[in-house]
Amino acid sequence: YSFQRPFVEAYVLVPGWNDWSAKPDAFFDPVDGMIQVEKLFLPRRVVFPEFACIDAKPVGSSGFVSYGEKAVDRSAYWWMKEPFYSSLCSFSTDGFERDVLQIYQSCDCSAAKGRGRWTIHDLGVNLTGFVRLEVSCRGPVRLMAVFDEVLIADDIDLKRNKTLNLVYYELQPGEYVLESIEPYTFRYLKLIEIDGVAEVKTIGIREYANPEASRATFECSDPDLVKLFEAGRQTFRQNAVDIYMDCPGRERAGWLCDSFFTGRAEAMLCEGSTVEFNFLENYQLPESFNGIPAGMLPMCYPSEHPNGRYIPQWAMWLVLELEEYLERTVDRELIDRFALKVFALLDYLQRFENADGLLEKLPSWNFIEWSKANELTEDVNYPTNMLYARMLEAVARLYGREALAEKATRIHQTVREQSFNGTFFVDNSIRGEDGKLHASGESTEVCQYYAFFCGTASLVSFPELWSILLNHFGPNRDLNGTYGFVHPANAFIGYYLRMDLLSHEGESVRLLEELKGYFLPMAEATGTLWEHNDTRASCNHGFASFICVLLARHAATS
């Protein structure tokens, strides 16, 4: 299905296959079970989803399908290339003689006529849950439910988000109520009758979402802002069923940094932080994490790290989240339980401090944001050190370590001396053959936001820079204008840092206009908010629900 979720669902069914779930007297062949060792279960805490069923409506697009065997082509799916793909799974055994990707690629949906038909259906908004089909078959039928969050050229393109968004069925004559066993995310569903004819009674989804996100109500005289709030709410409710997830489709994974922003949204939408506690507890409970260096925290958990990859910046964001979590909940117990891990993290990071006291040559995956900034992390990265200083300040406040606050002050000052070129902060410095650091000269938009967000800069100390950011940047910035050399920010996380700064400085009117500039096209296209400023990846990313907090703070009718 994806790099993160290996298995595509494919079924060969006969009528009555699910009688065991619907008829108390249904016969089935017993099988021997396996006795498992006793396990310690954590309390659930969060409420169950409501599992509402929502039907999709046809959009008017339909046509014929012809089918012819083709050699499977994985070239468009990098994560399915040999030998990586063969190490994941294969459908060549247990009666499946064809690969599901080959079946899909062998369908010609542009045929003038064929043995089957295809239709596209629309839920009206991006939703997450289990694909539902009710069909009646007079003869054998092969069906494929193909789905995605957006249409590309009025059709579904499975290469868009590095996923195989499909569920496959081979059905004998009879009546069927079908549901996928895994939850998926989509607005549009294309039903392909590869051969045979099926009478389709229902096409839709059984939702898998957090019902508590409906607690908050939002009223505003501007309908566009109401639309944005609902897009943020939809994004949250689908990404916070039991822990915080980055996206509910391709990965369904619990990533740090994303969680910093999602935590703010839960407290406002749900009047509590129950899901955040579950998310944080996962990081607190293990004594150690296999596959990454001692002291470092996983970038994503629960997960595996067989290649030892981690994001050092994401561990810093965790500490920032802990401080805000304490402010939201007064849960001192969890903070104290994190102490050993927090100080082990500091010990690990300290190994990379250079003679100036700045982190240099941090290993693994250095992540600033999805922009040019991620290419400017070599040697001394200044956004990372800005974040490091703010993290040290947070640890000082959480655990009463004043010396760490003093250290943070020195880091802020050193960054100002090395990074600021008189107009902008530059992103990094490279260690030359002469043993000295040399500024790269490259500046990114997000680097400037890190400076103000982390406290390296302020309106008092850098008024000219703030004025430039305020008046020349944002959703309408001129990339060919005076400051075109400053590489633009992306949605994750530059847009959100900018919005947070505008909110903090009381720029309400500008903030609300920029929210519409950045996010209204997303809300109108999918009803959810995206990972990037385009549709190249997930169009439903949990961190983006933070805009609900901004709207409630600056636009809600009191």
Side-chain angles (χ1 to χ4, degrees):
Y1 175 74
S2 76
F3 175 75
Q4 295 85 359
R5 302 172 63 183
F7 298 106
V8 170
E9 293 186 50
Y11 300 94
V12 174
L13 301 176
V14 296
W17 70 277
N18 63 339
D19 283 354
W20 61 270
S21 67
K23 299 179 180 179
D25 59 348
F27 172 81
F28 55 88
D29 293 323
V31 295
D32 293 330
M34 296 178 63
I35 298 176
Q36 299 293 316
V37 297
E38 187 174 349
K39 295 178 173 64
L40 176 64
F41 290 97
L42 296 171
R44 177 180 174 85
R45 300 188 186 94
V46 300
V47 299
F48 281 97
E50 295 174 346
F51 299 107
C53 292
I54 299 173
D55 293 343
K57 298 179 180 179
V59 301
S61 297
S62 63
F64 293 100
V65 180
S66 64
Y67 180 82
E69 296 287 349
K70 292 182 181 179
V72 64
D73 176 15
R74 306 187 194 283
S75 61
Y77 307 88
W78 63 266
W79 45 274
M80 295 190 70
K81 293 179 182 178
E82 301 289 352
F84 180 78
Y85 173 78
S86 60
S87 70
L88 289 177
C89 56
S90 172
F91 292 103
S92 61
T93 60
D94 298 328
F96 271 103
E97 298 177 354
R98 295 174 298 259
D99 184 291
V100 172
L101 178 60
Q102 179 177 345
I103 295 173
Y104 173 75
Q105 291 179 336
S106 296
C107 291
D108 180 5
C109 291
S110 62
K113 59 181 181 178
R115 290 181 294 177
R117 291 185 62 86
W118 61 267
T119 54
I120 295 179
H121 302 257
D122 182 5
L123 289 168
V125 67
N126 221 4
L127 295 175
T128 296
F130 308 91
V131 177
R132 291 187 73 245
L133 301 172
E134 292 186 31
V135 298
S136 176
C137 309
R138 293 185 178 181
V141 175
R142 288 192 292 161
L143 287 178
M144 188 173 286
V146 183
F147 46 88
D148 201 3
E149 301 171 281
V150 294
L151 296 179
I152 305 297
D154 297 323
D155 202 355
I156 290 173
D157 183 355
L158 295 191
K159 300 184 293 296
R160 181 193 68 86
N161 193 22
K162 300 176 182 175
T163 54
L164 285 181
N165 283 325
L166 61 86
V167 181
Y168 173 77
Y169 297 99
E170 293 186 5
L171 307 176
Q172 293 301 309
E175 305 284 331
Y176 295 88
V177 178
L178 306 170
E179 287 198 22
S180 64
I181 198 170
E182 289 277 355
Y184 303 101
T185 301
F186 59 96
R187 173 176 175 175
Y188 299 98
L189 187 149
K190 182 177 184 179
L191 187 64
I192 304 174
E193 301 170 25
I194 298 171
D195 46 27
V197 177
E199 179 187 351
V200 182
K201 301 177 180 179
T202 300
I203 296 178
I205 194 169
R206 185 185 295 277
E207 270 205 295
Y208 193 52
N210 184 332
E212 292 201 310
S214 299
R215 284 190 174 189
T217 59
F218 179 80
E219 295 181 2
C220 175
S221 59
D222 187 335
D224 286 339
L225 297 181
V226 174
K227 187 178 297 184
L228 286 177
F229 187 91
E230 292 307 319
R233 187 206 304 272
Q234 273 288 6
T235 301
F236 173 84
R237 66 191 293 271
Q238 297 175 49
N239 279 285
V241 182
D242 50 9
I243 64 169
Y244 295 156
M245 297 180 293
D246 63 329
C247 62
R250 185 189 66 232
E251 297 184 52
R252 302 190 63 78
W255 287 81
L256 294 173
C257 185
D258 299 63
S259 61
F260 174 86
F261 297 95
T262 313
R264 291 177 169 184
E266 183 188 8
M268 192 276 297
L269 289 171
C270 303
E271 298 181 298
S273 299
T274 306
V275 181
E276 185 173 31
F277 179 88
N278 280 1
F279 176 88
L280 294 172
E281 185 184 51
N282 282 342
Y283 280 87
Q284 185 276 317
L285 285 174
E287 293 184 3
S288 60
F289 300 98
N290 294 330
I292 61 175
M296 180 48 60
L297 293 158
M299 57 190 178
C300 171
Y301 194 80
S303 61
E304 295 176 300
H305 314 282
N307 60 359
R309 201 180 198 200
Y310 59 92
I311 301 177
Q313 292 81 3
W314 270 206
M316 302 181 204
W317 279 101
L318 171 61
V319 179
L320 270 57
E321 182 178 353
L322 288 176
E323 183 174 35
E324 291 200 0
Y325 171 81
L326 179 61
E327 295 172 357
R328 287 191 281 268
T329 65
V330 201
D331 182 3
R332 185 71 222 182
E333 180 184 356
L334 182 62
I335 301 304
D336 290 341
R337 284 160 53 190
F338 259 104
L340 290 177
K341 283 187 169 63
V342 170
F343 286 104
L345 172 64
L346 296 190
D347 290 342
Y348 176 77
L349 292 173
Q350 191 172 0
R351 305 177 204 172
F352 300 96
E353 292 179 2
N354 62 20
D356 299 324
L358 301 184
L359 297 175
E360 182 173 352
K361 295 184 184 298
L362 279 180
S364 204
W365 184 17
N366 283 267
F367 196 108
I368 305 303
E369 78 150 4
W370 287 124
S371 71
K372 181 70 173 181
N374 272 3
E375 302 174 21
L376 301 171
T377 60
E378 189 177 357
D379 293 356
V380 175
N381 176 261
Y382 294 114
T384 295
N385 279 283
M386 296 168 185
L387 183 63
Y388 185 41
R390 175 162 174 174
M391 182 200 71
L392 292 172
E393 292 168 342
V395 177
R397 289 187 290 266
L398 286 171
Y399 300 104
R401 301 297 179 92
E402 183 59 32
L404 294 178
E406 296 171 356
K407 179 177 179 179
T409 299
R410 293 192 295 270
I411 293 173
H412 283 309
Q413 180 58 31
T414 303
V415 169
R416 286 190 287 265
E417 293 170 355
Q418 294 186 10
S419 174
F420 191 65
N421 64 11
T423 306
F424 294 102
F425 288 90
V426 299
D427 277 56
N428 66 325
S429 286
I430 309 298
R431 184 73 63 179
E433 294 182 0
D434 58 3
K436 298 179 181 180
L437 288 173
H438 300 272
S440 67
E442 297 272 22
S443 292
T444 65
E445 183 178 350
V446 75
C447 178
Q448 319 312 309
Y449 300 149
Y450 267 89
F452 286 96
F453 178 83
C454 296
T456 304
S458 70
L459 271 67
V460 175
S461 58
F462 289 85
E464 294 85 2
L465 175 57
W466 176 252
S467 178
I468 292 172
L469 295 175
L470 196 64
N471 297 304
H472 295 276
F473 288 76
N476 298 317
R477 67 167 291 192
D478 182 3
L479 294 176
N480 298 314
T482 305
Y483 303 109
F485 60 89
V486 177
H487 302 287
N490 201 339
F492 187 59
I493 59 176
Y495 292 180
Y496 292 85
L497 294 183
R498 178 179 177 87
M499 297 300 101
D500 186 71
L501 292 169
L502 291 176
S503 175
H504 185 266
E505 299 305 330
E507 293 282 348
S508 297
V509 175
R510 184 183 297 270
L511 168 63
L512 297 177
E513 286 304 310
E514 292 197 4
L515 284 172
K516 288 192 284 187
Y518 280 132
F519 306 117
L520 193 57
M522 302 181 188
E524 291 175 337
T526 63
T528 49
L529 304 173
W530 307 348
E531 179 179 9
H532 292 273
N533 54 12
D534 54 40
T535 60
R536 81 186 83 165
S538 161
C539 295
N540 193 340
H541 239 65
F543 72 86
S545 57
F546 171 54
I547 75 165
C548 290
V549 178
L550 300 173
L551 289 164
R553 187 182 298 163
H554 295 276
T557 302
S558 59

